[in-house]
Amino acid sequence: MALPWKLHRDGKHVSPDAIVLPEERMSWPRTIGFGAQHVVAMFGATFLVPLITGFSPTATLFFSGLGTLLFLLITGNRLPSYLGSSFAFIAPIMAAVAGGDDSAEGLARASFGILAIGVLMAIVGIIVTKWGTGWINALMPPVVMGAIVALIGFNLGPAVKNNWNATELSGWVALITLVAMLLITVLFRGLIGRLSIVLGVVVGYIAAVAMGEVDFSTVTEAAWIGLPAFHAVGNPFADPTLWGLLPAFLPVVLVLIAENVGHVKSVGLMIGRDLDPVTGRALLADGVSTVLAGFGGGSGTTTYGENIGVMAATRVYSTAAYWVAGTIAVLLSFSPKIGALINTIPAGVLAGVTVALYGLIGLIGVKIWIDNKVDFGKPINQFTAAVALIIGIADFTLELGAVVFNGIALGTIAAIAVYHLMNGLSRARGGEVQVADPVVTAETGANRVTAEQ
């Protein structure tokens, strides 16, 4: 069977005024190199999620690679993308894990939430394929979407403090990690600058080793080759309390929709094509990938802006490079020693990275407001954002029987309810009607900060 890519010119060079389109490829040695570069770009954010949540790094890596390959299949090789761990899942996962009697039960509970979100995402993808994205823009105009994304990031603030104070030396390790990340971002351009997070982790990790904060015993005992550390998903029919987790996970769907829509628009702009018709397939593919991750113990997935940055720098948008990247990720997941090494990263390093990372997630919401020119001179926009942010940051909770609404869920409900209630009343009294313009995410600028992730 013939491969779906044609060679771009001689396969060795890309002229300054040209790009390598999704259906094209460079020579295979170069394509493999570009694929490996995409693995490096996604690696830092993808392994941070299991480190923070307690999930298996190898299982997360496996479903990340597998999800990428499925994404390429479902989108018909038209949309280059890597599916890495989504940071939007962190807060609800941590809440679900805390509700278990032990770590295994907690992880199983969290996996049920991930699976449920994957199913919902797939359904949304089918709906968008048939009816388009207009209903999404009407439900979540930019002021609402920005508030939801922002509160998800800011809600995670207390978790940073816990890691920062984990040991006597954690704070120093965190500070070294944070400073290294900031300096690399400022002093280096191109790919190195975009890898500031993973390189900051490397610097912090070296500092932690020097301070005696790292235990390598598990690494020496781990095998070089073995199956990823999968775990089972919780059974909601055997444990009805699992249904009560869903409100905490539901807001994640809104973030994943925004990330995927932004990814499609961003890539379309860079290659000069209208890829909007592929949006439904992209959402469906991300949903299927997340369902599989939920079944087997991996983190939920999303399209990665880091890899968009790599494409923008190299001008290579070939899906062949992503097939290589997904395959490499799957192969790496079959090394327990790699998973054990990742798990040795201490709390101080995580604190140094996440003190900036969680804030950046929140600022992506702010950037959505800026990109869409949300007018905060209007009371409707003011109250929509203000109420949602305080509820999310303060982490209000509401229990209705077995169902628990955390700050993210309540903040999301508040953002949607306040906007549409005030807008509806304003319309009824003949006031100015708010226009629900399509949401432009931070990805539309072809450079989304690590979030989702």
Side-chain angles (χ1 to χ4, degrees):
M1 183 179 69
L3 293 174
W5 306 281
K6 61 181 180 181
L7 196 64
H8 176 82
R9 298 185 178 179
D10 63 355
K12 297 179 180 180
H13 304 94
V14 182
S15 62
D17 60 340
I19 61 173
V20 179
L21 294 169
E23 66 273 14
E24 298 177 325
R25 66 170 176 86
M26 303 300 288
S27 66
W28 281 114
R30 286 171 174 76
T31 297
I32 292 171
F34 285 121
Q37 189 168 249
H38 281 301
V39 172
V40 172
M42 70 82 188
F43 201 80
T46 293
F47 78 70
L48 277 177
V49 175
L51 270 177
I52 294 167
T53 59
F55 271 53
S56 160
T58 52
T60 295
L61 198 55
F62 175 82
F63 287 109
S64 169
L66 180 62
T68 298
L69 301 180
L70 287 173
F71 185 95
L72 295 170
L73 279 175
I74 293 174
T75 57
N77 249 358
R78 296 169 62 189
L79 183 61
S81 178
Y82 190 91
L83 294 189
S85 301
S86 170
F87 277 80
F89 282 97
I90 292 177
I93 287 176
M94 293 172 72
V97 168
D101 293 333
D102 54 41
S103 60
E105 181 183 345
L107 293 175
R109 288 165 57 85
S111 289
F112 171 70
I114 292 172
L115 187 153
I117 293 306
V119 171
L120 187 54
M121 272 288 290
I123 293 173
V124 170
I126 294 171
I127 294 174
V128 169
T129 299
K130 187 170 180 63
W131 286 290
T133 59
W135 63 276
I136 297 175
N137 298 326
L139 176 66
M140 298 181 297
V143 65
V144 173
M145 178 56 69
I148 293 171
V149 175
L151 68 86
I152 285 179
F154 296 143
N155 175 267
L156 291 165
V160 179
K161 184 178 179 180
N162 293 335
N163 280 331
W164 195 287
N165 298 325
T167 69
E168 291 183 3
L169 295 175
S170 288
W172 290 108
V173 173
L175 186 60
I176 292 171
T177 304
L178 176 60
V179 171
M181 185 170 60
L182 298 178
L183 290 177
I184 292 169
T185 302
V186 172
L187 298 178
F188 294 93
R189 299 182 182 276
L191 182 60
I192 293 179
R194 274 190 291 273
L195 296 179
S196 60
I197 291 177
V198 66
L199 295 177
V201 168
V202 171
V203 173
Y205 187 81
I206 293 172
V209 171
M211 295 180 186
E213 290 280 287
V214 181
D215 179 8
F216 289 105
S217 60
T218 56
V219 179
T220 56
E221 295 169 0
W224 279 104
I225 299 176
L227 290 174
F230 301 119
H231 68 247
V233 64
N235 184 350
F237 301 104
D239 181 7
T241 63
L242 291 178
W243 297 106
L245 299 174
L246 296 186
F249 279 87
L250 287 177
V252 176
V253 174
L254 307 182
V255 179
L256 297 182
I257 290 172
E259 289 176 342
N260 277 271
V261 171
H263 183 94
V264 172
K265 291 183 179 297
S266 181
V267 174
L269 286 171
M270 288 190 290
I271 66 175
R273 289 180 178 175
D274 179 15
L275 294 177
D276 286 357
V278 190
T279 302
R281 288 193 179 195
L283 293 168
L284 172 61
D286 195 2
V288 171
S289 172
T290 299
V291 166
L292 293 176
F295 265 121
S299 300
T301 60
T302 188
T303 51
Y304 257 32
E306 293 88 335
N307 297 88
I308 288 184
V310 171
M311 290 189 291
T314 62
R315 303 191 305 281
V316 176
Y317 298 87
S318 171
T319 56
Y322 283 98
W323 279 96
V324 171
T327 302
I328 291 175
V330 170
L331 293 176
L332 287 175
S333 72
F334 283 88
S335 176
K337 194 172 287 291
I338 290 177
L341 181 62
I342 292 172
N343 273 326
T344 62
I345 296 176
V349 174
L350 295 179
V353 172
T354 55
V355 72
L357 197 59
Y358 293 163
L360 289 173
I361 295 171
L363 288 179
I364 290 174
V366 176
K367 193 173 189 304
I368 290 175
W369 293 333
I370 295 172
D371 289 345
N372 290 275
K373 298 179 174 61
V374 174
D375 184 0
F376 281 105
K378 297 179 179 178
I380 291 178
N381 293 338
Q382 292 173 359
F383 284 107
T384 296
V387 173
L389 284 177
I390 290 300
I391 291 175
I393 294 171
D395 201 19
F396 288 11
T397 58
L398 174 65
E399 295 187 20
L400 298 176
V403 180
V404 179
F405 294 84
N406 68 351
I408 293 177
L410 292 174
T412 298
I413 294 171
I416 296 173
V418 169
Y419 174 83
H420 287 289
L421 176 61
M422 293 185 71
N423 200 34
L425 292 174
S426 177
R427 188 184 319 178
R429 64 184 291 274
E432 181 181 357
V433 178
Q434 304 289 304
V435 180
D437 294 325
V439 171
V440 179
T441 72
E443 277 190 336
T444 305
N447 186 20
R448 176 170 60 87
V449 181
T450 307
E452 127 5 162
Q453 110 279 98

